[in-house]
Amino acid sequence: MMSFLSSFKVVALCYGVFMFGVFLSSEAQLDPSFYNKTCPNVHSIVREVINNVSKTDPRMPASLLRLHFHDCFVQGCDGSLLLNNTATIVSEQQARPNNNSIRGLDVVNQIKTAVENACPGIVSCADILALAAEISSVLDQGPDWKVQLGRRDSLTANITLAQNLPGPSLTLDQLKARFTAQGLNTTDLVALSGAHTFGRARCSLFVGRLYNFSNTGNPDPSLNSSYLQTLRSLCPNGGPGTTVANLDLTTPDTFDKNYYSNLQVHKGLLQSDQELFSTSGADTIDIVNKFSSDQNAFFEAFKASMIKMGNIGVLTGTQGEIRKQCNFINSQSAQLGLYNVASKESSSSEDGMVSSI
């Protein structure tokens, strides 16, 4: 019996070491220099497309940054968000948090085309999303970071998981639970929420705060009274809900610390924003205060959290594939003869995510 137990322990230990090694191996395959030999100009190619598009659509950097969030929070950073409906795939794009919300899908296709022209079959769509997020931050005066590369693209999508993206009306405890499920902590929550320093959100995402907060028949008491009146004039009760408001009312197209300063004076647009500062006794309050007073601290935390988030559920090595076209897995692209088909782009003018990040 003792011999059996000893043998069992050895086997268990070896299995644990093996699984730990697999995890480390997967992590080790992500590297900022991954394409140095195979596609050395990929960063400049992606930047050129985004820079050109943003000249006529200054909101696009915010939209592209949020695509990376929406992708990573659903079965990992694997480009699954980009997949269109087919006979075998139900697209995440039609999930409630994504439908009439996400923007920039066609820009991702433009980037993919440019990259494929230079380096065919080399760069994944998942990595394009990661690069686009960092470049978008920099273009709007935000921080830069060394993007870990080497992700591969998924062969599947998961609309069920996409329904559970963090929403604009979640409480702080609910937000923490969603982030914890992704291996992200409270500092990550507050730092990544700072992506709402630029971009827009439709009235439909926060109109309840203005007139009937939590079915009380009254506005959200955490809303600044003058800001409430401003938002009510923009979003009338019973209106269509399609008008957009700036997520950051002070510097809406600049990546800076003003998002946190707005929370301190109760001018967070979404409930999920204001929860970070207005939840009594919350440990997030000190972090908001720190980031509001020290932009460098915010930028450093944001960079660290973006890298951490970018490692969620990545496919590496021989897992998945490198899609030729971001909207279809390669076998379906070949069958359908599709190599430049657009994703389902939102028809709305909204460019803030439904989710809280």
Side-chain angles (χ1 to χ4, degrees):
M1 182 65 177
M2 290 301 294
S3 176
F4 170 78
L5 289 176
S6 297
S7 298
F8 178 80
K9 289 178 180 178
V10 170
V11 171
L13 177 62
C14 289
Y15 178 77
V17 170
F18 170 76
M19 292 305 294
F20 182 66
V22 168
F23 174 78
L24 287 180
S25 176
S26 175
E27 290 296 303
Q29 291 182 57
L30 290 188
D31 189 319
S33 63
F34 189 83
Y35 298 115
N36 278 7
K37 294 182 178 179
T38 56
C39 194
N41 296 322
V42 61
H43 191 279
S44 61
I45 294 170
V46 176
R47 181 184 176 89
E48 182 179 7
V49 174
I50 299 174
N51 189 48
N52 288 338
V53 171
S54 63
K55 289 176 181 176
T56 55
D57 186 355
R59 297 157 46 197
M60 188 52 64
S63 300
L64 292 173
L65 183 64
R66 291 179 188 121
L67 283 180
H68 187 42
F69 287 126
H70 275 227
D71 184 44
C72 290
F73 264 63
V74 180
Q75 75 177 23
C77 310
D78 60 1
S80 62
L81 172 64
L82 305 175
L83 290 172
N84 283 358
N85 279 327
T86 67
T88 57
I89 290 175
V90 180
S91 177
E92 294 169 15
Q93 296 165 30
Q94 63 190 32
R96 181 188 56 79
N98 290 328
N99 192 34
N100 292 323
S101 171
I102 53 175
R103 297 176 75 244
L105 298 169
D106 288 344
V107 176
V108 173
N109 286 340
Q110 291 180 43
I111 297 169
K112 179 62 171 175
T113 298
V115 171
E116 284 293 302
N117 287 339
C119 318
I122 299 297
V123 181
S124 68
C125 299
D127 274 348
I128 285 174
L129 289 178
L131 285 167
E134 187 269 345
I135 291 166
S136 294
S137 169
V138 173
L139 286 177
D140 277 1
Q141 302 175 44
D144 67 317
W145 58 93
K146 291 186 176 181
V147 181
Q148 300 290 315
L149 299 169
R151 299 169 190 79
R152 289 170 65 84
D153 297 320
S154 72
L155 301 172
T156 62
N158 194 320
I159 191 172
T160 301
L161 290 180
Q163 304 286 9
N164 295 321
L165 283 161
S169 300
L170 295 187
T171 66
L172 181 58
D173 284 343
Q174 290 170 328
L175 290 169
K176 285 184 174 184
R178 299 289 174 90
F179 274 67
T180 298
Q182 302 293 341
L184 301 172
N185 60 32
T186 299
T187 299
D188 297 321
L189 165 61
V190 180
L192 293 174
S193 294
H196 280 180
T197 185
F198 61 175
R200 318 285 191 272
R202 289 189 304 160
C203 290
S204 60
L205 304 184
F206 58 85
V207 69
R209 299 185 71 204
L210 312 183
Y211 301 99
N212 187 27
F213 180 65
S214 297
N215 295 317
T216 61
N218 297 306
D220 185 344
S222 70
L223 263 174
N224 176 285
S225 59
S226 64
Y227 187 44
L228 170 63
Q229 297 309 314
T230 298
L231 292 177
R232 279 183 165 181
S233 66
L234 186 67
C235 308
N237 196 16
T242 54
T243 303
V244 296
N246 295 324
L247 286 161
D248 177 345
L249 76 161
T250 53
T251 51
D253 294 316
T254 302
F255 198 105
D256 56 25
K257 66 182 180 64
N258 288 347
Y259 165 81
Y260 300 103
S261 302
N262 295 335
L263 300 185
Q264 291 176 316
V265 293
H266 301 275
K267 292 183 179 181
L269 183 65
L270 305 180
Q271 177 186 343
S272 56
D273 292 327
Q274 197 59 53
E275 287 277 331
L276 302 178
F277 186 78
S278 295
T279 302
S280 179
D283 55 356
T284 53
I285 296 173
D286 285 344
I287 305 174
V288 169
N289 289 336
K290 175 65 174 177
F291 291 167
S292 175
S293 64
D294 186 347
Q295 181 162 284
N296 184 63
F298 163 45
F299 279 12
E300 289 301 314
F302 186 80
K303 289 157 58 173
S305 294
M306 285 295 293
I307 293 171
K308 186 176 179 181
M309 185 189 74
N311 283 325
I312 296 173
V314 296
L315 303 177
T316 59
T318 59
Q319 298 172 316
E321 65 181 11
I322 305 299
R323 293 185 206 139
K324 294 180 175 66
Q325 205 281 333
C326 289
N327 309 135
F328 297 92
I329 62 175
N330 289 338
S331 61
Q332 292 171 340
S333 291
Q335 291 170 7
L336 298 173
L338 300 172
Y339 290 97
N340 284 288
V341 179
S343 295
K344 177 190 174 186
E345 189 72 62
S346 169
S347 61
S348 81
S349 61
E350 190 251 316
D351 99 311
M353 304 193 302
V354 172
S355 71
S356 66
I357 51 177

